[in-house]
Amino acid sequence: MPLPRSIATSRASTTIDSLLEPEDRWNPGLGLRDSLEARGIAASEDRSGPVHQALADAFGQVNVPVPSAAAPALPVVAPLADTIEIDAGLSSARGGPGGGGGGGGGGGGTSTYTTSVSAYNIRIDFSGTWSVDLQQAFLDSADRLASIIVEDVQDAAIRIKGRVAVVDDISISASLGAIDGVGGILGQAGPTAIRSSGSLDPYLPATATMRFDAADAQSLLAQGSWDEVILHEMFHCVGFGTIWSQLGLVSGSSYVGPAALAAYNAMLPEGTIASGVPLETTGGTGTAGAHWSEAIFGNELMTGYLDSDASAATPDDNALSAMSLAALADLGYGLAADLGSLADPYVLT
């Protein structure tokens, strides 16, 4: 099936994540704002404290009991991770002229979805007009990701308009609307707040955004690329390629995280041991250094290019390999024990 013009039909032409101007792309190397946007809650603070009251206000719990001097101590509020808002542009996908067609559909989907397949919870808040088919790719991708990441991470405190809200474990805002019409910019995605370095799960994203142009969405869906684009971008939302620099997982043009490197070495001929996984060096900011090398890994999903070269050995056009799953362990996530069964068939050629 041919790919839409808005996504590459050749490995050397168009990227999934960015052919946008550099200032508009997500750059994992950009700095973070100096001020913390939310404060952690100390484990010693009781339910009568001001932070608990702020949480109560945020969630509408107005009847907060205040213990008397003779009453037994109430359970303490669980500590929350501080978060830092990321001061960076979003990863953007730009297509060429032509193609496309149709809007976001006639609605009928849900406004909020939270995974329940594991202890790792992904919440998606939808805005805009979504067809059920377009929205289903988000639900499927979130469920698949939550079946790979199965362990809970520390809840995060986010300050929103003066209120403290709790995120368990990541909250993604998904919007569908007008950006620039058919072709051009397909969408934008990336983390918007990450846990602080002092949290139990340093740098893991707490919030993220995924925004797509309604004029392009139906075309991607019709040509079978929509679900692959959504899963690819959701991987970036949880940290693939976007928090590597903070965790020291990149050396030059190689990825050096031990779990993904071991998976890569398992693909190589016997006796060949690599010191790093080759990363993309083309495509500019937002693509180079944040994806596997297209020249080496071809139709693996987490290269920077969308492919249509499935083979008998690798039947998926864009396969999610065990190496990409292992990279999530390098970020600090607790993964399912049976990763092999959760990856797509993929053979390095």
Short mmCIF file of all heavy atoms in Angstrom, two decimals, residues 225-276:
data_model
loop_
_atom_site.label_atom_id
_atom_site.label_comp_id
_atom_site.label_asym_id
_atom_site.label_seq_id
_atom_site.Cartn_x
_atom_site.Cartn_y
_atom_site.Cartn_z
N SER A 225 -1.29 4.14 7.98
CA SER A 225 -0.13 4.67 8.68
C SER A 225 -0.46 5.32 10.02
O SER A 225 0.44 5.58 10.82
CB SER A 225 0.59 5.71 7.81
OG SER A 225 0.97 5.15 6.58
N TRP A 226 -1.72 5.61 10.25
CA TRP A 226 -2.12 6.38 11.44
C TRP A 226 -1.71 5.68 12.74
O TRP A 226 -1.13 6.30 13.63
CB TRP A 226 -3.62 6.62 11.40
CG TRP A 226 -4.20 7.35 12.58
CD1 TRP A 226 -5.04 6.85 13.53
CD2 TRP A 226 -4.04 8.74 12.90
NE1 TRP A 226 -5.39 7.81 14.42
CE2 TRP A 226 -4.79 8.99 14.06
CE3 TRP A 226 -3.31 9.78 12.33
CZ2 TRP A 226 -4.85 10.25 14.66
CZ3 TRP A 226 -3.37 11.04 12.92
CH2 TRP A 226 -4.13 11.26 14.07
N ASP A 227 -1.98 4.38 12.86
CA ASP A 227 -1.66 3.69 14.11
C ASP A 227 -0.16 3.65 14.36
O ASP A 227 0.29 3.76 15.51
CB ASP A 227 -2.25 2.28 14.11
CG ASP A 227 -1.77 1.43 12.95
OD1 ASP A 227 -1.28 1.98 11.94
OD2 ASP A 227 -1.88 0.18 13.04
N GLU A 228 0.65 3.53 13.30
CA GLU A 228 2.10 3.49 13.46
C GLU A 228 2.64 4.85 13.91
O GLU A 228 3.52 4.92 14.77
CB GLU A 228 2.76 3.05 12.15
CG GLU A 228 2.40 1.63 11.76
CD GLU A 228 2.91 1.26 10.38
OE1 GLU A 228 3.20 2.18 9.58
OE2 GLU A 228 3.03 0.06 10.09
N VAL A 229 2.09 5.93 13.33
CA VAL A 229 2.52 7.26 13.72
C VAL A 229 2.17 7.52 15.18
O VAL A 229 2.98 8.07 15.94
CB VAL A 229 1.88 8.33 12.80
CG1 VAL A 229 2.13 9.73 13.33
CG2 VAL A 229 2.43 8.20 11.38
N ILE A 230 0.97 7.11 15.61
CA ILE A 230 0.55 7.35 16.99
C ILE A 230 1.43 6.58 17.96
O ILE A 230 1.89 7.13 18.97
CB ILE A 230 -0.93 6.95 17.18
CG1 ILE A 230 -1.84 7.81 16.30
CG2 ILE A 230 -1.33 7.08 18.66
CD1 ILE A 230 -1.71 9.28 16.52
N LEU A 231 1.71 5.31 17.69
CA LEU A 231 2.54 4.53 18.61
C LEU A 231 3.96 5.10 18.66
O LEU A 231 4.55 5.20 19.74
CB LEU A 231 2.58 3.07 18.17
CG LEU A 231 3.37 2.11 19.07
CD1 LEU A 231 2.82 2.12 20.50
CD2 LEU A 231 3.35 0.70 18.50
N HIS A 232 4.49 5.48 17.50
CA HIS A 232 5.83 6.08 17.45
C HIS A 232 5.89 7.33 18.33
O HIS A 232 6.80 7.49 19.15
CB HIS A 232 6.16 6.43 16.00
CG HIS A 232 7.46 7.13 15.81
ND1 HIS A 232 8.57 6.51 15.28
CD2 HIS A 232 7.85 8.42 16.05
CE1 HIS A 232 9.58 7.37 15.22
NE2 HIS A 232 9.16 8.54 15.68
N GLU A 233 4.92 8.22 18.16
CA GLU A 233 4.93 9.46 18.92
C GLU A 233 4.67 9.23 20.41
O GLU A 233 5.20 9.95 21.27
CB GLU A 233 3.91 10.45 18.34
CG GLU A 233 4.18 10.87 16.91
CD GLU A 233 5.50 11.60 16.72
OE1 GLU A 233 6.15 11.97 17.73
OE2 GLU A 233 5.90 11.81 15.57
N MET A 234 3.87 8.22 20.74
CA MET A 234 3.61 7.94 22.15
C MET A 234 4.87 7.43 22.84
O MET A 234 5.09 7.70 24.03
CB MET A 234 2.45 6.95 22.29
CG MET A 234 1.81 6.96 23.67
SD MET A 234 0.27 6.01 23.78
CE MET A 234 -0.84 7.05 22.83
N PHE A 235 5.71 6.69 22.10
CA PHE A 235 7.00 6.28 22.65
C PHE A 235 7.84 7.51 23.00
O PHE A 235 8.52 7.54 24.03
CB PHE A 235 7.74 5.39 21.66
CG PHE A 235 7.67 3.92 22.00
CD1 PHE A 235 6.45 3.26 22.01
CD2 PHE A 235 8.80 3.21 22.33
CE1 PHE A 235 6.36 1.91 22.33
CE2 PHE A 235 8.74 1.86 22.66
CZ PHE A 235 7.52 1.20 22.66
N HIS A 236 7.81 8.53 22.15
CA HIS A 236 8.53 9.76 22.47
C HIS A 236 7.94 10.44 23.71
O HIS A 236 8.68 11.03 24.51
CB HIS A 236 8.50 10.73 21.29
CG HIS A 236 9.38 10.33 20.15
ND1 HIS A 236 10.66 9.87 20.33
CD2 HIS A 236 9.16 10.32 18.81
CE1 HIS A 236 11.21 9.61 19.15
NE2 HIS A 236 10.31 9.86 18.21
N CYS A 237 6.63 10.36 23.86
CA CYS A 237 5.99 10.99 25.02
C CYS A 237 6.47 10.38 26.34
O CYS A 237 6.60 11.09 27.34
CB CYS A 237 4.46 10.87 24.92
SG CYS A 237 3.71 11.97 23.70
N VAL A 238 6.74 9.08 26.35
CA VAL A 238 7.19 8.45 27.60
C VAL A 238 8.71 8.51 27.76
O VAL A 238 9.24 8.03 28.76
CB VAL A 238 6.70 6.99 27.73
CG1 VAL A 238 5.18 6.93 27.73
CG2 VAL A 238 7.30 6.09 26.66
N GLY A 239 9.41 9.11 26.79
CA GLY A 239 10.82 9.37 26.99
C GLY A 239 11.79 8.83 25.96
O GLY A 239 12.97 9.17 25.99
N PHE A 240 11.33 8.01 25.02
CA PHE A 240 12.23 7.48 23.99
C PHE A 240 12.77 8.63 23.15
O PHE A 240 12.02 9.34 22.48
CB PHE A 240 11.50 6.48 23.10
CG PHE A 240 12.37 5.77 22.10
CD1 PHE A 240 12.79 4.48 22.32
CD2 PHE A 240 12.78 6.41 20.93
CE1 PHE A 240 13.61 3.82 21.39
CE2 PHE A 240 13.59 5.78 20.00
CZ PHE A 240 14.00 4.48 20.23
N GLY A 241 14.09 8.83 23.20
CA GLY A 241 14.71 9.87 22.41
C GLY A 241 14.58 11.27 22.97
O GLY A 241 15.23 12.20 22.49
N THR A 242 13.75 11.45 24.00
CA THR A 242 13.47 12.79 24.51
C THR A 242 14.08 13.05 25.88
O THR A 242 14.18 14.21 26.29
CB THR A 242 11.96 13.05 24.57
OG1 THR A 242 11.31 11.99 25.28
CG2 THR A 242 11.37 13.12 23.16
N ILE A 243 14.48 12.01 26.61
CA ILE A 243 15.19 12.22 27.88
C ILE A 243 16.51 11.46 27.89
O ILE A 243 17.12 11.27 28.94
CB ILE A 243 14.33 11.82 29.10
CG1 ILE A 243 13.96 10.33 29.06
CG2 ILE A 243 13.10 12.70 29.20
CD1 ILE A 243 13.31 9.82 30.34
N TRP A 244 16.99 11.03 26.74
CA TRP A 244 18.25 10.28 26.66
C TRP A 244 19.41 11.11 27.18
O TRP A 244 20.28 10.60 27.88
CB TRP A 244 18.51 9.85 25.22
CG TRP A 244 17.68 8.70 24.76
CD1 TRP A 244 16.82 7.94 25.50
CD2 TRP A 244 17.62 8.18 23.42
NE1 TRP A 244 16.22 6.97 24.72
CE2 TRP A 244 16.70 7.10 23.43
CE3 TRP A 244 18.25 8.52 22.23
CZ2 TRP A 244 16.42 6.36 22.30
CZ3 TRP A 244 17.96 7.78 21.09
CH2 TRP A 244 17.06 6.71 21.12
N SER A 245 19.45 12.38 26.84
CA SER A 245 20.59 13.21 27.25
C SER A 245 20.62 13.37 28.76
O SER A 245 21.69 13.33 29.38
CB SER A 245 20.55 14.57 26.56
OG SER A 245 19.37 15.27 26.90
N GLN A 246 19.46 13.55 29.38
CA GLN A 246 19.42 13.69 30.83
C GLN A 246 19.92 12.44 31.54
O GLN A 246 20.50 12.51 32.63
CB GLN A 246 17.99 14.00 31.31
CG GLN A 246 17.51 15.41 31.01
CD GLN A 246 16.85 15.53 29.66
OE1 GLN A 246 17.03 14.69 28.78
NE2 GLN A 246 16.07 16.59 29.48
N LEU A 247 19.71 11.27 30.94
CA LEU A 247 20.10 10.01 31.55
C LEU A 247 21.46 9.51 31.09
O LEU A 247 21.89 8.44 31.51
CB LEU A 247 19.03 8.94 31.26
CG LEU A 247 17.66 9.19 31.92
CD1 LEU A 247 16.62 8.22 31.37
CD2 LEU A 247 17.75 9.08 33.43
N GLY A 248 22.13 10.27 30.24
CA GLY A 248 23.45 9.89 29.78
C GLY A 248 23.48 8.65 28.92
O GLY A 248 24.41 7.84 29.00
N LEU A 249 22.47 8.48 28.06
CA LEU A 249 22.34 7.27 27.26
C LEU A 249 22.91 7.40 25.85
O LEU A 249 22.82 6.45 25.07
CB LEU A 249 20.85 6.86 27.17
CG LEU A 249 20.20 6.50 28.50
CD1 LEU A 249 18.70 6.25 28.31
CD2 LEU A 249 20.87 5.28 29.13
N VAL A 250 23.48 8.55 25.53
CA VAL A 250 24.01 8.78 24.19
C VAL A 250 25.48 9.17 24.29
O VAL A 250 25.87 9.98 25.15
CB VAL A 250 23.22 9.88 23.45
CG1 VAL A 250 23.88 10.20 22.12
CG2 VAL A 250 21.78 9.45 23.24
N SER A 251 26.29 8.58 23.43
CA SER A 251 27.69 8.95 23.31
C SER A 251 27.99 9.17 21.83
O SER A 251 27.97 8.21 21.04
CB SER A 251 28.60 7.86 23.88
OG SER A 251 29.97 8.17 23.69
N GLY A 252 28.22 10.41 21.46
CA GLY A 252 28.43 10.71 20.04
C GLY A 252 27.19 10.37 19.24
O GLY A 252 26.10 10.86 19.53
N SER A 253 27.33 9.53 18.24
CA SER A 253 26.18 9.12 17.42
C SER A 253 25.74 7.70 17.76
O SER A 253 25.15 7.02 16.92
CB SER A 253 26.54 9.22 15.94
OG SER A 253 27.66 8.40 15.64
N SER A 254 26.00 7.28 19.00
CA SER A 254 25.62 5.93 19.43
C SER A 254 24.80 5.98 20.71
O SER A 254 25.02 6.84 21.58
CB SER A 254 26.86 5.06 19.68
OG SER A 254 27.58 4.83 18.50
N TYR A 255 23.87 5.06 20.81
CA TYR A 255 23.09 4.87 22.03
C TYR A 255 23.80 3.81 22.87
O TYR A 255 24.16 2.75 22.36
CB TYR A 255 21.68 4.40 21.66
CG TYR A 255 20.78 4.09 22.84
CD1 TYR A 255 19.96 5.06 23.37
CD2 TYR A 255 20.77 2.82 23.41
CE1 TYR A 255 19.13 4.79 24.45
CE2 TYR A 255 19.95 2.54 24.49
CZ TYR A 255 19.14 3.52 25.00
OH TYR A 255 18.32 3.24 26.08
N VAL A 256 24.01 4.10 24.16
CA VAL A 256 24.82 3.21 24.99
C VAL A 256 24.05 2.64 26.18
O VAL A 256 24.65 2.07 27.08
CB VAL A 256 26.10 3.93 25.47
CG1 VAL A 256 27.00 4.26 24.30
CG2 VAL A 256 25.75 5.21 26.26
N GLY A 257 22.73 2.77 26.20
CA GLY A 257 21.95 2.15 27.27
C GLY A 257 22.16 0.64 27.25
O GLY A 257 22.07 0.00 26.19
N PRO A 258 22.41 0.01 28.39
CA PRO A 258 22.81 -1.40 28.40
C PRO A 258 21.74 -2.38 27.92
O PRO A 258 22.07 -3.37 27.27
CB PRO A 258 23.17 -1.67 29.87
CG PRO A 258 22.46 -0.60 30.64
CD PRO A 258 22.44 0.60 29.76
N ALA A 259 20.48 -2.12 28.22
CA ALA A 259 19.44 -3.08 27.84
C ALA A 259 19.24 -3.11 26.33
O ALA A 259 19.22 -4.18 25.71
CB ALA A 259 18.13 -2.75 28.55
N ALA A 260 19.07 -1.94 25.71
CA ALA A 260 18.89 -1.90 24.26
C ALA A 260 20.16 -2.34 23.54
O ALA A 260 20.09 -2.99 22.49
CB ALA A 260 18.48 -0.50 23.81
N LEU A 261 21.32 -2.01 24.09
CA LEU A 261 22.58 -2.44 23.47
C LEU A 261 22.70 -3.96 23.48
O LEU A 261 23.13 -4.57 22.49
CB LEU A 261 23.77 -1.81 24.20
CG LEU A 261 25.16 -2.20 23.71
CD1 LEU A 261 25.32 -1.91 22.22
CD2 LEU A 261 26.24 -1.48 24.51
N ALA A 262 22.29 -4.59 24.57
CA ALA A 262 22.31 -6.05 24.62
C ALA A 262 21.37 -6.65 23.58
O ALA A 262 21.70 -7.66 22.93
CB ALA A 262 21.94 -6.53 26.02
N ALA A 263 20.19 -6.03 23.41
CA ALA A 263 19.25 -6.52 22.40
C ALA A 263 19.81 -6.35 21.00
O ALA A 263 19.61 -7.21 20.12
CB ALA A 263 17.92 -5.78 22.54
N TYR A 264 20.52 -5.26 20.76
CA TYR A 264 21.15 -5.05 19.46
C TYR A 264 22.23 -6.08 19.21
O TYR A 264 22.31 -6.67 18.12
CB TYR A 264 21.72 -3.63 19.41
CG TYR A 264 22.56 -3.33 18.19
CD1 TYR A 264 22.05 -3.55 16.90
CD2 TYR A 264 23.85 -2.81 18.31
CE1 TYR A 264 22.82 -3.26 15.77
CE2 TYR A 264 24.62 -2.51 17.19
CZ TYR A 264 24.09 -2.74 15.92
OH TYR A 264 24.85 -2.46 14.81
N ASN A 265 23.07 -6.32 20.19
CA ASN A 265 24.15 -7.30 20.02
C ASN A 265 23.60 -8.70 19.77
O ASN A 265 24.24 -9.51 19.07
CB ASN A 265 25.06 -7.29 21.24
CG ASN A 265 26.10 -6.19 21.18
OD1 ASN A 265 26.66 -5.91 20.13
ND2 ASN A 265 26.35 -5.53 22.31
N ALA A 266 22.42 -8.97 20.30
CA ALA A 266 21.80 -10.27 20.06
C ALA A 266 21.38 -10.44 18.60
O ALA A 266 21.21 -11.56 18.12
CB ALA A 266 20.59 -10.45 20.98
N MET A 267 21.22 -9.33 17.87
CA MET A 267 20.87 -9.39 16.46
C MET A 267 22.09 -9.59 15.56
O MET A 267 21.94 -9.98 14.40
CB MET A 267 20.18 -8.09 16.01
CG MET A 267 18.93 -7.70 16.74
SD MET A 267 18.33 -6.11 16.06
CE MET A 267 17.12 -5.64 17.28
N LEU A 268 23.26 -9.28 16.07
CA LEU A 268 24.47 -9.29 15.25
C LEU A 268 25.01 -10.71 15.07
O LEU A 268 24.70 -11.62 15.85
CB LEU A 268 25.53 -8.40 15.90
CG LEU A 268 25.16 -6.92 16.05
CD1 LEU A 268 26.28 -6.17 16.77
CD2 LEU A 268 24.89 -6.29 14.69
N PRO A 269 25.82 -10.92 14.05
CA PRO A 269 26.43 -12.24 13.85
C PRO A 269 27.22 -12.67 15.07
O PRO A 269 27.77 -11.85 15.82
CB PRO A 269 27.35 -12.02 12.64
CG PRO A 269 26.78 -10.84 11.94
CD PRO A 269 26.21 -9.96 12.99
N GLU A 270 27.27 -13.96 15.29
CA GLU A 270 27.97 -14.50 16.45
C GLU A 270 29.42 -14.02 16.45
O GLU A 270 30.11 -14.03 15.43
CB GLU A 270 27.93 -16.03 16.41
CG GLU A 270 28.52 -16.68 17.65
CD GLU A 270 28.37 -18.19 17.63
OE1 GLU A 270 27.70 -18.71 16.70
OE2 GLU A 270 28.89 -18.84 18.55
N GLY A 271 29.86 -13.57 17.62
CA GLY A 271 31.22 -13.08 17.77
C GLY A 271 31.38 -11.59 17.54
O GLY A 271 32.45 -11.03 17.80
N THR A 272 30.32 -10.93 17.05
CA THR A 272 30.37 -9.49 16.83
C THR A 272 29.76 -8.77 18.02
O THR A 272 28.61 -9.05 18.39
CB THR A 272 29.60 -9.10 15.55
OG1 THR A 272 30.14 -9.79 14.44
CG2 THR A 272 29.67 -7.59 15.32
N ILE A 273 30.51 -7.89 18.63
CA ILE A 273 30.03 -7.15 19.78
C ILE A 273 30.18 -5.67 19.50
O ILE A 273 31.28 -5.16 19.25
CB ILE A 273 30.83 -7.51 21.07
CG1 ILE A 273 30.73 -9.01 21.35
CG2 ILE A 273 30.30 -6.70 22.25
CD1 ILE A 273 29.33 -9.50 21.64
N ALA A 274 29.06 -4.95 19.54
CA ALA A 274 29.07 -3.51 19.31
C ALA A 274 29.15 -2.78 20.64
O ALA A 274 28.68 -3.29 21.67
CB ALA A 274 27.82 -3.09 18.56
N SER A 275 29.71 -1.59 20.64
CA SER A 275 29.80 -0.78 21.85
C SER A 275 28.66 0.21 21.97
O SER A 275 28.51 0.88 23.00
CB SER A 275 31.13 -0.02 21.89
OG SER A 275 31.26 0.83 20.76
N GLY A 276 27.84 0.33 20.91
CA GLY A 276 26.70 1.23 20.94
C GLY A 276 25.75 0.92 19.82
O GLY A 276 26.11 0.28 18.83
#
